[in-house]
Amino acid sequence: MEKAFRVNPWEVSGKVDYAKLISEFGISKLDEKTLNRIKKHTKELHPMLRRGVFFAHRDFNWLLDEYENGNKFFLYTGRAPSGKIHLGHLVPWIFTKWLQEKFDVDLYFQFPNEEKFLFNQNTTYEKVQEYLEDNMLDVAALGFKPGRTHFIIDTKHADLLYPEAVKVAKKITFSMVKASFGMNESSNIGAIFYTAMQAVPAFLPSVIKKKKIPCLIPHGVDQDPHFRLTRDILPKLGYYKPASIQNAFMPPLKGVEGKTSSSDETSAIFLHDSPKEVETKIKKYAFSGGRDTLEEHRKKGGNPDVDVSFQYLKFLFEEDDSKLAKIEKDYRSGKMLTSELKKIAIDKINAFLKEHQAKRAKITPKILERDWLWKV
Ligand code: TRP
């Protein structure tokens, strides 16, 4: 029997069947034709496109039609502060950075600093705010284009967001929210309203520039219910439906199911981890596709499909397809041992984190305020 899985903005669990999600959500598989169209503009395809990490979209072909007619889009993505940033969070952001460079476009990055307060029973508003600046520093350090990247904080930019959010909210009934998010009579009314806040950055630049501008939202597929609703509403307000592109989840450190949770220190590798912590976490906790004994591993080979170290290389850390293919082949055949595979992952992750931490250390709250916070 098939095991149940769940994917929605508040929960990702079980072994996700992405083909099934495509039909359930009504998103389109990223096919050869669309990929080739993207390639025409970007020259090469990002590894996450070549490897199916980004696997589905809505209206990407329309977005390219507009782009080819000289109507540039803007990018929109986000992060609800709730804890420290871990490697799994980087998947859509690294891809967004690539899109920003290749298409030379603006990016609006929302930090809904009320979201996790509204949805998590066990946190306070004040606690969530402690992560806001921390999360912004990590995002800024990833190397988005300064001057073309605009951070939106829901409470700080409330004067801009709220008037538009109420216009969205007026078009959404409680029964629509129930159907989209599985809410019920006992859901708090802040949570019921929240999706209106996440809709706004998809058209706020159009409001401010007083012209319709296409929008592309790269995001983890769990966020799609928000944007499905957003797409229904925006034409009613006189704006384009946002296009979107969806990524699959990088497995959490300890196994292949669900997505990484930031509440458990040992469940993920965090951007602030030291080289030693990374080494320990990978060696001790990273789920292995290897066999129980050396003899058995040599004879039967390992399974890279469930091996977390291999998956981290595939999602983020080995951009070279031929190198990745060699690792995969050697691991599958038993020629490469789990300890060897883990060593490769540890070195790659630590090289990345060293650079990231150095970049982050150079950004002060003052720089955040001056260079990254959206100013209208
Ligand atoms: N809801 C997202 C989260 O839980 C945050 C978010 C806001 C977002 N706007 C977005 C994510 C746009 C992707 C795209 O982190």
Side-chain angles (χ1 to χ4, degrees):
M1 211 189 76
E2 272 179 63
K3 265 202 282 168
F5 68 93
R6 293 163 78 93
V7 175
N8 63 56
W10 342 115
E11 185 188 0
V12 177
S13 64
K15 183 165 169 29
V16 180
D17 178 342
Y18 289 101
K20 203 163 169 188
L21 264 192
I22 287 178
S23 70
E24 273 177 16
F25 281 11
I27 46 185
S28 308
K29 190 173 158 50
L30 260 178
D31 59 12
E32 211 59 31
K33 206 172 134 228
T34 309
L35 290 175
N36 282 332
R37 267 192 91 179
I38 297 173
K39 197 172 173 184
K40 228 178 69 201
H41 295 284
T42 61
K43 308 293 179 253
E44 52 173 7
L45 286 178
H46 192 274
M48 292 184 199
L49 289 172
R50 300 198 301 264
R51 297 170 191 174
V53 169
F54 273 83
F55 68 99
H57 71 99
R58 290 183 187 271
D59 274 347
F60 210 103
N61 286 298
W62 164 80
L63 189 88
L64 290 172
D65 290 341
E66 292 293 322
Y67 187 80
E68 285 164 12
N69 288 327
N71 197 9
K72 268 199 180 184
F73 57 90
F74 66 87
L75 291 159
Y76 161 39
T77 194
R79 153 77 183 164
S82 61
K84 300 270 186 172
I85 304 296
H86 60 63
L87 296 181
H89 293 128
L90 298 183
V91 172
W93 304 344
I94 296 225
F95 182 66
T96 299
K97 179 182 146 185
W98 179 81
L99 286 173
Q100 183 181 41
E101 276 162 16
K102 295 292 174 179
F103 288 96
D104 191 32
V105 291
D106 282 344
L107 163 65
Y108 295 84
F109 202 114
Q110 182 179 34
F111 292 88
N113 57 329
E114 81 283 42
E115 179 182 350
K116 293 297 152 76
F117 164 64
L118 291 170
F119 286 93
N120 298 351
Q121 285 323 317
N122 316 326
T123 196
T124 62
Y125 182 78
E126 289 66 30
K127 185 88 205 135
V128 169
Q129 305 320 308
E130 289 172 23
Y131 291 108
L132 174 62
E133 185 179 283
D134 167 84
N135 289 187
M136 288 195 296
L137 288 172
D138 274 327
V139 173
L142 288 177
F144 294 108
K145 285 193 182 174
R148 303 206 66 168
T149 304
H150 315 284
F151 287 2
I152 301 175
I153 300 170
D154 282 13
T155 58
K156 282 218 171 94
H157 293 94
D159 55 340
L160 296 170
L161 294 164
Y162 191 66
E164 304 311 318
V166 294
K167 293 173 199 168
V168 174
K170 196 175 177 181
K171 305 271 181 216
I172 303 178
T173 64
F174 184 30
S175 65
M176 287 159 76
V177 175
K178 276 186 188 167
S180 299
F181 303 108
M183 284 177 195
N184 58 49
E185 308 295 323
S186 44
S187 305
N188 75 67
I189 62 173
I192 296 165
F193 178 78
Y194 171 73
T195 192
M197 294 298 286
Q198 190 160 321
V200 173
F203 68 104
L204 192 51
S206 300
V207 174
I208 284 163
K209 295 192 177 139
K210 296 194 170 61
K211 59 168 191 208
K212 291 207 260 184
I213 314 170
C215 169
L216 171 65
I217 313 174
H219 65 84
V221 67
D222 58 320
Q223 298 294 311
D224 183 68
H226 282 298
F227 301 122
R228 215 181 304 154
L229 212 50
T230 303
R231 285 167 51 85
D232 287 344
I233 309 297
L234 294 209
K236 296 182 186 164
L237 299 176
Y239 302 100
Y240 292 131
K241 289 182 179 190
S244 57
I245 182 163
Q246 286 84 21
N247 68 274
F249 305 112
M250 195 164 87
L253 192 59
K254 291 170 183 172
V256 286
E257 296 191 349
K259 72 170 186 182
T260 308
S261 129
S262 25
S263 41
D264 171 6
E265 255 296 322
T266 67
S267 80
I269 291 171
F270 292 87
L271 297 195
H272 61 262
D273 281 349
S274 68
K276 191 76 212 151
E277 281 168 322
V278 170
E279 186 183 341
T280 309
K281 284 183 182 181
I282 292 283
K283 283 188 176 165
K284 212 165 147 181
Y285 301 115
F287 186 82
S288 163
R291 302 281 176 173
D292 289 343
T293 65
L294 179 69
E295 197 190 3
E296 203 192 345
H297 188 89
R298 290 284 190 219
K299 207 161 93 192
K300 296 183 182 156
N303 181 2
D305 304 333
V306 300
D307 189 282
V308 165
S309 305
F310 180 79
Q311 292 300 317
Y312 284 14
L313 294 174
K314 175 178 161 183
F315 272 74
L316 285 172
F317 298 107
E318 183 48 81
E319 294 198 3
D320 184 327
D321 285 348
S322 59
K323 283 188 189 160
L324 189 76
K326 174 137 178 35
I327 294 170
E328 180 169 4
K329 183 166 159 267
D330 289 351
Y331 194 60
R332 226 182 262 288
S333 73
K335 190 173 159 200
M336 179 180 283
L337 300 176
T338 295
S339 56
E340 293 165 327
L341 174 57
K342 287 196 171 192
K343 174 85 170 75
I344 297 172
I346 291 165
D347 290 348
K348 285 273 183 183
I349 294 168
N350 278 336
F352 171 85
L353 289 184
K354 187 174 173 204
E355 208 185 308
H356 177 78
Q357 289 165 5
K359 284 189 204 147
R360 181 184 148 126
K362 292 208 188 89
I363 306 171
T364 60
K366 234 199 186 115
I367 293 177
L368 270 187
E369 166 80 37
R370 191 193 65 202
D371 297 345
W372 297 90
L373 214 60
W374 192 24
K375 287 172 207 75
V376 179

